[in-house]
Amino acid sequence: MPLKTILDTIHTELSPYHAQLVAVSKTYPASTLRAAYDLGVRDFGENRVQELAEKAEALPADIRWHFIGHLQTNKVKYIAPFVHLIHSVDSWKLLAEIDKRAAAENRTIQVLLQFKIAEEDTKFGYSPDAIFRMLADGAWQQLNHIQIVGVMGMATFTDDEAQVAEEFRTLKQYFDRLKSDYFTDYPAFKEISMGMSGDYLLALQHGSTMVRIGSKIFGER
Ligand SMILES: *Cc1c(COP(=O)(O)O)cnc(C)c1O
């Protein structure tokens, strides 16, 4: 199927939910991203720092780069000058480092808190308790160069739709709890990044505002 047809289909599916597409372009060459860019895609997701930095260098400056992979603190500095949204904040140490590097760049970096919602324990992400403890502690309020705009999670990779739906419901509940406990006065705290090629329709039904779709757009990696 032509890239344009695939993108049109996805946009039609997202539109009733007012959800946003992040085109996950990891492992694909810059020329592939360029083709999507020429069709209007501006949000791309990458999960490796070096690959992201190289692509950002090679592609137009108005792209919004989303970092969606596990991020090591010692690599934050390489993406801090330009990254649009970091979906994968899973420790206080990382949050503080992002703040420090953003301050050095004179900018504010938007982040999502990544919750561990999948049954498999191979996925990164905070345990819910750790996130709630970090927010209760309050030190995050002193970080002036990060803006927490929502949550992110990855469901278990399984055909069991009921299980995936349950995990999405759980993430939505965490979002609601954070919103009411800490972010009622922060309109920017509104994003729920959930849903990938295999499960994004289900994610939309459970409140996703941002889907991260790779293989459905660009083909199997
Ligand atoms: C690779 C990846 C995706 C996209 O996965 P697809 O199944 O190719 O759509 C989404 N989110 C994260 C965190 C990823 O690493």
Side-chain angles (χ1 to χ4, degrees):
M1 217 192 284
L3 185 55
K4 181 173 189 317
T5 313
I6 298 170
L7 288 169
D8 286 348
T9 305
I10 293 173
H11 282 300
T12 305
E13 289 166 337
L14 298 188
S15 138
Y17 298 96
H18 306 287
Q20 196 192 326
L21 170 66
V22 177
V24 176
S25 48
K26 64 190 188 196
T27 75
Y28 288 93
S31 56
T32 302
L33 282 70
R34 181 75 216 199
Y37 177 90
D38 290 341
L39 292 168
V41 177
R42 290 295 177 274
D43 293 89
F44 290 92
E46 293 281 336
N47 70 345
R48 290 188 198 286
V49 166
Q50 193 181 340
E51 188 178 340
L52 170 53
E54 284 168 11
K55 286 174 175 171
E57 183 85 31
L59 288 159
D62 63 341
I63 288 177
R64 291 180 291 268
W65 293 102
H66 296 246
F67 192 82
I68 61 170
H70 178 63
L71 183 55
Q72 289 170 271
T73 48
N74 62 356
K75 297 204 169 153
V76 173
K77 57 178 178 284
Y78 300 115
I79 61 172
F82 62 88
V83 70
H84 171 66
L85 175 61
I86 298 174
H87 290 229
S88 46
V89 170
D90 62 359
S91 72
W92 163 256
K93 202 172 130 218
L94 179 57
L95 190 67
E97 176 67 12
I98 295 168
D99 182 73
K100 178 176 147 195
R101 296 295 172 178
E105 300 291 336
N106 255 315
R107 57 190 302 252
T108 298
I109 296 179
Q110 299 194 324
V111 304
L112 302 176
L113 301 174
Q114 181 175 358
F115 278 89
K116 193 193 280 289
I117 53 168
E119 196 174 72
E120 331 140 78
D121 57 11
T122 53
K123 300 264 162 68
F124 290 100
Y126 265 127
S127 79
D129 280 356
I131 297 195
F132 290 118
R133 258 184 278 126
M134 181 185 83
L135 291 173
D137 167 69
W140 62 277
Q141 311 242 29
Q142 259 67 71
L143 304 178
N144 292 318
H145 294 270
I146 53 109
Q147 185 178 32
I148 301 174
V149 299
V151 302
M152 183 271 225
M154 285 170 88
T156 304
F157 190 71
T158 170
D159 289 335
D160 183 347
E161 275 208 8
Q163 181 180 347
V164 174
E166 186 53 39
E167 292 171 0
F168 287 152
R169 263 194 293 274
T170 300
L171 185 59
K172 172 70 164 69
Q173 282 165 6
Y174 293 147
F175 171 86
D176 289 341
R177 183 166 154 200
L178 293 189
K179 182 79 190 169
S180 65
D181 286 2
Y182 299 104
F183 297 101
T184 40
D185 297 331
Y186 293 72
F189 186 89
K190 62 180 172 58
E191 305 295 352
I192 304 178
S193 168
M194 65 183 185
M196 312 181 10
S197 291
D199 57 20
Y200 70 94
L201 292 174
L202 200 56
L204 290 168
Q205 289 161 18
H206 289 90
S208 172
T209 66
M210 204 176 256
V211 294
R212 309 177 309 269
I213 304 181
S215 50
K216 163 133 182 170
I217 299 174
F218 298 115
E220 293 301 325
R221 279 177 293 269

